[in-house]
């Protein structure tokens, strides 16, 4: 009962404009994303079925949001997973609901549930073409074992992708190894692994490719001290720990207690050790504190407009106003400059999930100008197809991503390094998957290719 009530509360929050799907789901103690997303996707169909069956008229105390969640799981999901009250209600109305669904299929002249969905219900703009990216958590397993697991599940592995077009053409139960990132598997859009044992056990992380770029490009050496300045929900923190091989120290900051508690649970599930979470605004962290005297790497992914996020569910979000963008950019400049003030810093990666120049190139250009010759912008990923806008000389060293060009969420990444003898050497930047061995071998970030040992916990079905 609590699970469905929590999912209904998320739907009600969306209708009130209280936040986006991910933000509202993240505040709950239940794993709701798949249930809420699919309920939203089928929402127009559910409304027709509920109206035809007159369920809300028969059950006066049942809210429309709760009715949608229950009927989705009853008719389209894996069956109700609730206690007596809702199961009894479902039994009373099941025959009527199933009959109404059957009549709807006859009227639409379709035979499958998916065929009831209009193209728009496949997701927001660009969602239908963005693949499902799966990052292999190398703290618990390895790419070979995960590929073997999915083969046993009936998936067909097609090898390493040679182009973005290959990713675009994925369908059915086929998957590829990404052409850029060596521990990223790529599945067709709308593939759902939220209930898969590899996901629930922390062996795989459902993380968009663009979101994997910041930690990959920061590439901290094993044993390093690293700050994740705006850490929740924690996927990037976990990725950093995997790159560090759990050797070193990660200081992760966020201002929200609930988000940090959920993040702690997620990191523990992923096998992450050597991290300290702090409920603190990064701007209040003292760079002169001896605790941070060895921090050489900072990942900074501050609050932004989120204009690059591609919704897999049909939820419209208003574009940010000019005033909102100006306020965000002011905060972003302040927090980026603060990050550069840590005395032992060698490399900082600044990223946003925004498409707006005001939050991206303009922020980086202004802060570089403020710091003079102390830091430089690194051309960290020359093979990446989309570059920064020409807002200032050298801005093309920044990376951009989009659903249309890179089959990812919209994203921006800039890599800044300290100049001088203490700077991180360019040779320590990671090598793209295009320069790494094929499946069966592995490459450490910043190291020569070597034969990968089969290791860690072997994935079981």
């Amino acid at each position: 009962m609590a699970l469905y009530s929590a999912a209904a509360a998320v739907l009600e929050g969306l209708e009130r404009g209280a936040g986006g799907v991910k933000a509202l789901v993240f505040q709950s103690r239940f794993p709701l994303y798949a249930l809420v997303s699919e309920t939203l996707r089928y929402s127009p169909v559910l409304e027709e079925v509920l109206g035809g069956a007159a369920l809300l008229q028969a059950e006066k105390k049942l809210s429309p949001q709760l009715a949608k969640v229950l009927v989705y799981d009853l008719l389209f999901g894996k069956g109700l997973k609730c206690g007596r009250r809702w199961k009894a209600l479902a039994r009373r109305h099941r025959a009527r609901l199933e009959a109404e669904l059957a009549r709807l299929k006859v009227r639409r002249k379709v035979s499958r549930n998916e065929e009831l969905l209009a193209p728009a219900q496949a997701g927001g703009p660009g969602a239908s073409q963005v693949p499902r990216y799966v990052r292999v958590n190398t703290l618990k397993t390895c790419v070979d074992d995960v590929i073997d697991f999915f083969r046993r599940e009936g998936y067909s592995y097609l090898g390493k992708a040679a182009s973005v077009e290959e990713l675009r053409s994925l369908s059915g139960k086929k998957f590829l190894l990404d052409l850029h990132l060596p521990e990223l598997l790529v599945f067709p859009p709308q593939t759902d692994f939220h209930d898969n044992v590899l996901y629930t056990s922390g062996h795989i992380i459902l993380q968009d490719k663009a979101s994997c770029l910041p930690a990959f490009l920061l590439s901290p050496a094993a044993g390093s001290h690293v700050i994740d300045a705006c850490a929740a929900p924690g996927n990037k923190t976990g990725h950093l720990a995997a790159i560090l091989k759990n050797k070193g120290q990660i200081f992760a900051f966020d201002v929200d207690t609930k988000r940090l508690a959920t993040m702690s649970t997620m990191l523990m599930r992923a096998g992450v050790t050597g991290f300290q979470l702090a409920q603190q605004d990064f701007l209040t962290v003292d760079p002169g504190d001896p605790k941070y005297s060895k921090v050489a790497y900072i990942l900074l992914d501050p609050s932004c407009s989120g204009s690059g996020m591609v919704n897999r569910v049909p939820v419209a979000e208003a574009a940010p106003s000019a005033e909102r963008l100006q306020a965000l950019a002011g905060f972003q400049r302040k927090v980026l400059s603060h990050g550069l003030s840590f005395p032992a810093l060698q490399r900082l990666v600044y990223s946003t999930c925004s498409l707006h120049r005001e939050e991206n190139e303009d922020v980086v250009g202004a802060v570089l100008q403020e710091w003079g010759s102390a830091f430089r912008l690194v051309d960290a990923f020359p093979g990446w197809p989309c570059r920064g806008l020409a807002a200032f000389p050298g801005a093309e060293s920044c990376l951009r991503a989009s659903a249309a060009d890179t089959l990812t969420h919209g994203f921006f990444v800039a890599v800044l390094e300290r100049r001088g003898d203490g700077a991180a050497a360019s040779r320590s930047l990671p090598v793209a998957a295009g320069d790494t061995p094929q499946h069966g071998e592995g490459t450490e970030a910043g190291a020569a290719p070597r034969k990968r040992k089969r290791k860690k916990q072997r994935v079981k079905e």
Side-chain angles (χ1 to χ4, degrees), residues 336-388:
L336 175 54
S337 186
H338 183 67
L340 295 180
S341 67
F342 281 74
L345 181 71
Q346 296 179 27
R347 182 182 300 136
L348 181 148
V349 167
Y350 173 82
S351 63
T352 75
C353 54
S354 169
L355 301 175
H356 298 292
R357 169 177 159 166
E358 293 92 332
E359 300 178 87
N360 298 329
E361 291 89 355
D362 287 355
V363 168
V364 173
V367 173
L368 282 174
Q369 187 172 21
E370 174 190 336
W371 279 83
S373 61
F375 290 89
R376 69 189 183 98
L377 193 59
V378 180
D379 189 7
F381 209 155
W384 189 258
C386 298
R387 314 307 302 185

Short mmCIF file of all heavy atoms in Angstrom, two decimals, residues 336-388:
data_model
loop_
_atom_site.label_atom_id
_atom_site.label_comp_id
_atom_site.label_asym_id
_atom_site.label_seq_id
_atom_site.Cartn_x
_atom_site.Cartn_y
_atom_site.Cartn_z
N LEU A 336 32.34 27.83 -9.13
CA LEU A 336 33.50 27.41 -9.92
C LEU A 336 34.76 28.13 -9.43
O LEU A 336 35.82 27.51 -9.26
CB LEU A 336 33.26 27.69 -11.40
CG LEU A 336 34.43 27.41 -12.35
CD1 LEU A 336 34.95 25.99 -12.21
CD2 LEU A 336 34.02 27.68 -13.80
N SER A 337 34.66 29.41 -9.18
CA SER A 337 35.82 30.16 -8.68
C SER A 337 36.24 29.64 -7.32
O SER A 337 37.44 29.52 -7.02
CB SER A 337 35.47 31.65 -8.60
OG SER A 337 36.61 32.40 -8.24
N HIS A 338 35.26 29.29 -6.48
CA HIS A 338 35.57 28.73 -5.16
C HIS A 338 36.32 27.40 -5.30
O HIS A 338 37.29 27.14 -4.57
CB HIS A 338 34.27 28.53 -4.37
CG HIS A 338 34.48 28.04 -2.98
ND1 HIS A 338 35.07 28.79 -2.00
CD2 HIS A 338 34.16 26.85 -2.39
CE1 HIS A 338 35.12 28.10 -0.87
NE2 HIS A 338 34.57 26.92 -1.09
N GLY A 339 35.89 26.57 -6.24
CA GLY A 339 36.57 25.29 -6.46
C GLY A 339 38.04 25.47 -6.85
O GLY A 339 38.91 24.70 -6.41
N LEU A 340 38.31 26.48 -7.66
CA LEU A 340 39.69 26.71 -8.11
C LEU A 340 40.59 27.22 -7.00
O LEU A 340 41.82 27.27 -7.16
CB LEU A 340 39.69 27.70 -9.28
CG LEU A 340 39.01 27.22 -10.57
CD1 LEU A 340 39.09 28.31 -11.64
CD2 LEU A 340 39.61 25.92 -11.09
N SER A 341 40.02 27.61 -5.86
CA SER A 341 40.81 28.19 -4.78
C SER A 341 41.44 27.16 -3.85
O SER A 341 42.18 27.52 -2.94
CB SER A 341 39.95 29.17 -3.97
OG SER A 341 38.92 28.47 -3.26
N PHE A 342 41.18 25.87 -4.05
CA PHE A 342 41.79 24.85 -3.20
C PHE A 342 43.27 24.74 -3.56
O PHE A 342 43.63 24.56 -4.73
CB PHE A 342 41.07 23.51 -3.38
CG PHE A 342 39.77 23.45 -2.62
CD1 PHE A 342 38.66 24.14 -3.07
CD2 PHE A 342 39.67 22.75 -1.42
CE1 PHE A 342 37.46 24.14 -2.37
CE2 PHE A 342 38.47 22.73 -0.71
CZ PHE A 342 37.37 23.43 -1.18
N PRO A 343 44.16 24.86 -2.57
CA PRO A 343 45.58 25.07 -2.85
C PRO A 343 46.28 23.92 -3.59
O PRO A 343 47.21 24.17 -4.36
CB PRO A 343 46.19 25.28 -1.46
CG PRO A 343 45.21 24.70 -0.50
CD PRO A 343 43.87 24.90 -1.11
N ALA A 344 45.87 22.69 -3.36
CA ALA A 344 46.55 21.56 -4.00
C ALA A 344 45.86 21.10 -5.28
O ALA A 344 46.26 20.10 -5.88
CB ALA A 344 46.64 20.38 -3.02
N LEU A 345 44.85 21.85 -5.71
CA LEU A 345 44.07 21.43 -6.88
C LEU A 345 44.94 21.33 -8.13
O LEU A 345 45.72 22.23 -8.44
CB LEU A 345 42.95 22.44 -7.14
CG LEU A 345 42.05 22.12 -8.34
CD1 LEU A 345 41.17 20.92 -8.04
CD2 LEU A 345 41.19 23.33 -8.72
N GLN A 346 44.78 20.22 -8.84
CA GLN A 346 45.46 20.03 -10.12
C GLN A 346 44.49 20.10 -11.28
O GLN A 346 44.77 20.71 -12.31
CB GLN A 346 46.18 18.67 -10.14
CG GLN A 346 47.29 18.53 -9.13
CD GLN A 346 47.93 17.17 -9.17
OE1 GLN A 346 47.92 16.49 -10.20
NE2 GLN A 346 48.47 16.73 -8.05
N ARG A 347 43.32 19.47 -11.11
CA ARG A 347 42.35 19.43 -12.21
C ARG A 347 40.94 19.56 -11.66
O ARG A 347 40.61 18.97 -10.62
CB ARG A 347 42.49 18.13 -12.99
CG ARG A 347 41.55 18.04 -14.20
CD ARG A 347 41.69 16.71 -14.93
NE ARG A 347 43.04 16.53 -15.42
CZ ARG A 347 43.73 15.40 -15.33
NH1 ARG A 347 43.18 14.33 -14.79
NH2 ARG A 347 44.95 15.32 -15.80
N LEU A 348 40.11 20.31 -12.37
CA LEU A 348 38.70 20.46 -12.02
C LEU A 348 37.87 20.26 -13.27
O LEU A 348 38.20 20.79 -14.34
CB LEU A 348 38.44 21.85 -11.43
CG LEU A 348 37.00 22.18 -10.99
CD1 LEU A 348 37.01 23.14 -9.79
CD2 LEU A 348 36.16 22.77 -12.11
N VAL A 349 36.81 19.48 -13.14
CA VAL A 349 35.85 19.31 -14.23
C VAL A 349 34.56 20.03 -13.84
O VAL A 349 33.98 19.77 -12.77
CB VAL A 349 35.58 17.83 -14.51
CG1 VAL A 349 34.36 17.67 -15.42
CG2 VAL A 349 36.79 17.18 -15.17
N TYR A 350 34.12 20.94 -14.71
CA TYR A 350 32.87 21.67 -14.53
C TYR A 350 31.87 21.12 -15.54
O TYR A 350 32.17 21.02 -16.74
CB TYR A 350 33.09 23.17 -14.77
CG TYR A 350 31.82 23.99 -14.79
CD1 TYR A 350 31.22 24.41 -13.60
CD2 TYR A 350 31.22 24.35 -15.99
CE1 TYR A 350 30.05 25.18 -13.62
CE2 TYR A 350 30.05 25.12 -16.02
CZ TYR A 350 29.47 25.52 -14.83
OH TYR A 350 28.32 26.27 -14.85
N SER A 351 30.68 20.76 -15.07
CA SER A 351 29.68 20.21 -15.99
C SER A 351 28.29 20.68 -15.60
O SER A 351 28.02 20.99 -14.43
CB SER A 351 29.73 18.67 -15.98
OG SER A 351 29.40 18.15 -14.71
N THR A 352 27.41 20.72 -16.59
CA THR A 352 25.99 20.99 -16.35
C THR A 352 25.17 20.13 -17.30
O THR A 352 25.68 19.68 -18.33
CB THR A 352 25.60 22.47 -16.60
OG1 THR A 352 25.55 22.71 -18.01
CG2 THR A 352 26.57 23.45 -15.95
N CYS A 353 23.90 19.96 -16.96
CA CYS A 353 22.97 19.32 -17.89
C CYS A 353 22.10 20.40 -18.53
O CYS A 353 20.89 20.25 -18.65
CB CYS A 353 22.13 18.24 -17.21
SG CYS A 353 21.25 18.80 -15.74
N SER A 354 22.76 21.49 -18.90
CA SER A 354 22.08 22.64 -19.50
C SER A 354 22.55 22.84 -20.93
O SER A 354 23.70 22.55 -21.27
CB SER A 354 22.37 23.90 -18.69
OG SER A 354 21.92 25.06 -19.38
N LEU A 355 21.66 23.38 -21.75
CA LEU A 355 22.00 23.73 -23.13
C LEU A 355 22.35 25.21 -23.28
O LEU A 355 22.79 25.63 -24.35
CB LEU A 355 20.82 23.41 -24.05
CG LEU A 355 20.34 21.96 -24.07
CD1 LEU A 355 19.08 21.84 -24.93
CD2 LEU A 355 21.42 21.03 -24.60
N HIS A 356 22.16 25.99 -22.23
CA HIS A 356 22.28 27.44 -22.34
C HIS A 356 23.72 27.92 -22.22
O HIS A 356 24.42 27.57 -21.25
CB HIS A 356 21.42 28.12 -21.27
CG HIS A 356 19.96 27.83 -21.41
ND1 HIS A 356 19.20 28.30 -22.47
CD2 HIS A 356 19.11 27.08 -20.65
CE1 HIS A 356 17.95 27.87 -22.33
NE2 HIS A 356 17.88 27.14 -21.24
N ARG A 357 24.14 28.74 -23.15
CA ARG A 357 25.48 29.31 -23.13
C ARG A 357 25.74 30.07 -21.83
O ARG A 357 26.87 30.06 -21.30
CB ARG A 357 25.65 30.24 -24.33
CG ARG A 357 26.88 31.11 -24.31
CD ARG A 357 27.01 31.94 -25.56
NE ARG A 357 27.87 33.10 -25.32
CZ ARG A 357 28.38 33.86 -26.27
NH1 ARG A 357 28.11 33.62 -27.54
NH2 ARG A 357 29.15 34.89 -25.96
N GLU A 358 24.70 30.72 -21.29
CA GLU A 358 24.87 31.51 -20.06
C GLU A 358 25.39 30.67 -18.90
O GLU A 358 26.12 31.17 -18.04
CB GLU A 358 23.54 32.14 -19.65
CG GLU A 358 23.03 33.21 -20.61
CD GLU A 358 22.12 32.64 -21.68
OE1 GLU A 358 22.26 31.45 -22.05
OE2 GLU A 358 21.24 33.40 -22.16
N GLU A 359 25.01 29.37 -18.85
CA GLU A 359 25.42 28.50 -17.75
C GLU A 359 26.69 27.72 -18.08
O GLU A 359 27.23 27.05 -17.19
CB GLU A 359 24.30 27.51 -17.44
CG GLU A 359 22.99 28.13 -17.01
CD GLU A 359 21.93 27.09 -16.76
OE1 GLU A 359 21.87 26.58 -15.64
OE2 GLU A 359 21.18 26.75 -17.70
N ASN A 360 27.14 27.81 -19.29
CA ASN A 360 28.23 26.96 -19.75
C ASN A 360 29.46 27.76 -20.15
O ASN A 360 30.29 28.12 -19.32
CB ASN A 360 27.72 26.07 -20.90
CG ASN A 360 26.61 25.14 -20.46
OD1 ASN A 360 26.57 24.71 -19.31
ND2 ASN A 360 25.67 24.83 -21.35
N GLU A 361 29.59 28.06 -21.44
CA GLU A 361 30.78 28.78 -21.91
C GLU A 361 30.95 30.13 -21.24
O GLU A 361 32.09 30.53 -20.91
CB GLU A 361 30.72 28.97 -23.44
CG GLU A 361 30.86 27.71 -24.24
CD GLU A 361 29.55 26.99 -24.51
OE1 GLU A 361 28.51 27.46 -23.96
OE2 GLU A 361 29.55 26.01 -25.26
N ASP A 362 29.86 30.84 -21.01
CA ASP A 362 29.97 32.16 -20.39
C ASP A 362 30.51 32.07 -18.96
O ASP A 362 31.30 32.92 -18.52
CB ASP A 362 28.62 32.87 -20.39
CG ASP A 362 28.21 33.35 -21.78
OD1 ASP A 362 29.03 33.21 -22.72
OD2 ASP A 362 27.07 33.84 -21.94
N VAL A 363 30.10 31.04 -18.23
CA VAL A 363 30.59 30.84 -16.86
C VAL A 363 32.08 30.51 -16.87
O VAL A 363 32.88 31.12 -16.15
CB VAL A 363 29.79 29.72 -16.16
CG1 VAL A 363 30.48 29.30 -14.86
CG2 VAL A 363 28.37 30.17 -15.89
N VAL A 364 32.47 29.56 -17.71
CA VAL A 364 33.88 29.14 -17.77
C VAL A 364 34.76 30.30 -18.24
O VAL A 364 35.83 30.56 -17.66
CB VAL A 364 34.03 27.92 -18.70
CG1 VAL A 364 35.51 27.59 -18.93
CG2 VAL A 364 33.31 26.72 -18.12
N GLY A 365 34.33 31.01 -19.27
CA GLY A 365 35.12 32.13 -19.78
C GLY A 365 35.32 33.21 -18.74
O GLY A 365 36.43 33.75 -18.58
N ALA A 366 34.26 33.56 -18.00
CA ALA A 366 34.35 34.60 -16.99
C ALA A 366 35.30 34.21 -15.86
O ALA A 366 36.11 35.02 -15.39
CB ALA A 366 32.96 34.91 -16.43
N VAL A 367 35.24 32.95 -15.42
CA VAL A 367 36.08 32.51 -14.30
C VAL A 367 37.54 32.38 -14.73
O VAL A 367 38.46 32.72 -13.97
CB VAL A 367 35.54 31.19 -13.70
CG1 VAL A 367 36.49 30.64 -12.66
CG2 VAL A 367 34.16 31.42 -13.10
N LEU A 368 37.78 31.90 -15.94
CA LEU A 368 39.16 31.84 -16.44
C LEU A 368 39.77 33.24 -16.51
O LEU A 368 40.94 33.44 -16.17
CB LEU A 368 39.20 31.17 -17.81
CG LEU A 368 39.11 29.64 -17.84
CD1 LEU A 368 39.00 29.14 -19.28
CD2 LEU A 368 40.30 29.00 -17.15
N GLN A 369 38.98 34.20 -16.95
CA GLN A 369 39.46 35.58 -17.02
C GLN A 369 39.75 36.11 -15.62
O GLN A 369 40.76 36.80 -15.39
CB GLN A 369 38.42 36.45 -17.71
CG GLN A 369 38.90 37.87 -17.99
CD GLN A 369 37.91 38.64 -18.84
OE1 GLN A 369 36.72 38.31 -18.90
NE2 GLN A 369 38.38 39.69 -19.50
N GLU A 370 38.91 35.75 -14.66
CA GLU A 370 39.11 36.18 -13.27
C GLU A 370 40.42 35.64 -12.69
O GLU A 370 41.11 36.33 -11.95
CB GLU A 370 37.91 35.69 -12.44
CG GLU A 370 38.02 35.93 -10.95
CD GLU A 370 36.92 35.20 -10.18
OE1 GLU A 370 35.86 34.91 -10.77
OE2 GLU A 370 37.13 34.91 -8.99
N TRP A 371 40.77 34.39 -13.05
CA TRP A 371 41.96 33.75 -12.49
C TRP A 371 43.22 34.01 -13.31
O TRP A 371 44.30 33.53 -12.96
CB TRP A 371 41.71 32.25 -12.33
CG TRP A 371 40.94 31.94 -11.09
CD1 TRP A 371 39.59 31.99 -10.91
CD2 TRP A 371 41.49 31.57 -9.82
NE1 TRP A 371 39.25 31.67 -9.63
CE2 TRP A 371 40.39 31.39 -8.93
CE3 TRP A 371 42.78 31.34 -9.36
CZ2 TRP A 371 40.57 31.03 -7.61
CZ3 TRP A 371 42.95 30.98 -8.02
CH2 TRP A 371 41.86 30.82 -7.16
N GLY A 372 43.09 34.71 -14.40
CA GLY A 372 44.27 35.05 -15.20
C GLY A 372 44.94 33.82 -15.78
O GLY A 372 44.28 32.94 -16.35
N SER A 373 46.25 33.70 -15.60
CA SER A 373 47.02 32.61 -16.20
C SER A 373 47.19 31.42 -15.26
O SER A 373 47.94 30.49 -15.56
CB SER A 373 48.40 33.11 -16.63
OG SER A 373 49.12 33.59 -15.49
N ALA A 374 46.49 31.42 -14.11
CA ALA A 374 46.68 30.34 -13.13
C ALA A 374 46.15 29.00 -13.63
O ALA A 374 46.69 27.94 -13.29
CB ALA A 374 46.01 30.71 -11.81
N PHE A 375 45.08 29.03 -14.44
CA PHE A 375 44.48 27.80 -14.94
C PHE A 375 44.31 27.87 -16.45
O PHE A 375 44.21 28.95 -17.03
CB PHE A 375 43.12 27.55 -14.27
CG PHE A 375 43.21 27.19 -12.82
CD1 PHE A 375 43.21 28.18 -11.85
CD2 PHE A 375 43.33 25.87 -12.43
CE1 PHE A 375 43.31 27.85 -10.50
CE2 PHE A 375 43.45 25.53 -11.08
CZ PHE A 375 43.44 26.53 -10.12
N ARG A 376 44.27 26.70 -17.06
CA ARG A 376 44.06 26.63 -18.50
C ARG A 376 42.93 25.65 -18.79
O ARG A 376 42.64 24.74 -18.00
CB ARG A 376 45.34 26.18 -19.22
CG ARG A 376 45.73 24.74 -18.95
CD ARG A 376 47.12 24.40 -19.50
NE ARG A 376 47.45 23.00 -19.29
CZ ARG A 376 47.32 22.04 -20.21
NH1 ARG A 376 46.83 22.37 -21.41
NH2 ARG A 376 47.65 20.80 -19.94
N LEU A 377 42.30 25.83 -19.93
CA LEU A 377 41.25 24.93 -20.40
C LEU A 377 41.90 23.84 -21.23
O LEU A 377 42.69 24.12 -22.13
CB LEU A 377 40.26 25.73 -21.23
CG LEU A 377 38.91 25.09 -21.58
CD1 LEU A 377 38.14 24.73 -20.32
CD2 LEU A 377 38.10 26.06 -22.43
N VAL A 378 41.59 22.59 -20.92
CA VAL A 378 42.23 21.45 -21.57
C VAL A 378 41.33 20.90 -22.67
O VAL A 378 40.12 20.74 -22.49
CB VAL A 378 42.51 20.33 -20.54
CG1 VAL A 378 43.18 19.14 -21.21
CG2 VAL A 378 43.38 20.86 -19.42
N ASP A 379 41.94 20.59 -23.81
CA ASP A 379 41.21 19.90 -24.88
C ASP A 379 41.25 18.41 -24.54
O ASP A 379 42.09 17.66 -25.02
CB ASP A 379 41.88 20.17 -26.23
CG ASP A 379 41.04 19.67 -27.40
OD1 ASP A 379 39.91 19.23 -27.16
OD2 ASP A 379 41.53 19.74 -28.54
N ALA A 380 40.33 18.00 -23.67
CA ALA A 380 40.44 16.70 -23.01
C ALA A 380 40.00 15.51 -23.85
O ALA A 380 40.39 14.39 -23.60
CB ALA A 380 39.63 16.72 -21.72
N PHE A 381 39.16 15.73 -24.84
CA PHE A 381 38.57 14.61 -25.57
C PHE A 381 38.49 14.99 -27.05
O PHE A 381 37.41 15.23 -27.59
CB PHE A 381 37.18 14.33 -25.01
CG PHE A 381 36.72 12.90 -25.12
CD1 PHE A 381 35.76 12.41 -24.23
CD2 PHE A 381 37.21 12.04 -26.10
CE1 PHE A 381 35.31 11.10 -24.32
CE2 PHE A 381 36.76 10.74 -26.20
CZ PHE A 381 35.81 10.27 -25.30
N PRO A 382 39.64 15.08 -27.73
CA PRO A 382 39.65 15.60 -29.11
C PRO A 382 38.74 14.86 -30.06
O PRO A 382 38.23 15.44 -31.03
CB PRO A 382 41.13 15.43 -29.52
CG PRO A 382 41.88 15.40 -28.24
CD PRO A 382 40.99 14.73 -27.25
N GLY A 383 38.48 13.58 -29.80
CA GLY A 383 37.65 12.79 -30.70
C GLY A 383 36.16 13.00 -30.50
O GLY A 383 35.35 12.47 -31.26
N TRP A 384 35.76 13.75 -29.46
CA TRP A 384 34.33 13.97 -29.20
C TRP A 384 33.77 14.90 -30.28
O TRP A 384 34.35 15.94 -30.58
CB TRP A 384 34.14 14.57 -27.82
CG TRP A 384 32.71 14.64 -27.39
CD1 TRP A 384 31.91 15.74 -27.38
CD2 TRP A 384 31.91 13.56 -26.91
NE1 TRP A 384 30.66 15.42 -26.92
CE2 TRP A 384 30.62 14.09 -26.64
CE3 TRP A 384 32.14 12.20 -26.70
CZ2 TRP A 384 29.58 13.29 -26.13
CZ3 TRP A 384 31.11 11.42 -26.22
CH2 TRP A 384 29.85 11.95 -25.94
N PRO A 385 32.63 14.57 -30.87
CA PRO A 385 32.16 15.31 -32.06
C PRO A 385 31.63 16.71 -31.81
O PRO A 385 31.70 17.56 -32.70
CB PRO A 385 31.06 14.40 -32.61
CG PRO A 385 30.58 13.61 -31.43
CD PRO A 385 31.79 13.40 -30.56
N CYS A 386 31.07 16.98 -30.63
CA CYS A 386 30.42 18.28 -30.39
C CYS A 386 31.27 19.12 -29.44
O CYS A 386 31.59 18.68 -28.34
CB CYS A 386 29.03 18.08 -29.79
SG CYS A 386 27.93 17.18 -30.89
N ARG A 387 31.59 20.34 -29.87
CA ARG A 387 32.48 21.20 -29.11
C ARG A 387 31.73 22.41 -28.56
O ARG A 387 30.58 22.68 -28.92
CB ARG A 387 33.65 21.67 -29.98
CG ARG A 387 34.31 20.58 -30.82
CD ARG A 387 34.76 19.36 -30.05
NE ARG A 387 35.71 19.67 -28.97
CZ ARG A 387 36.30 18.73 -28.22
NH1 ARG A 387 36.01 17.45 -28.43
NH2 ARG A 387 37.14 19.08 -27.28
N GLY A 388 32.42 23.16 -27.70
CA GLY A 388 31.83 24.34 -27.11
C GLY A 388 31.55 25.44 -28.12
O GLY A 388 32.19 25.50 -29.18
#
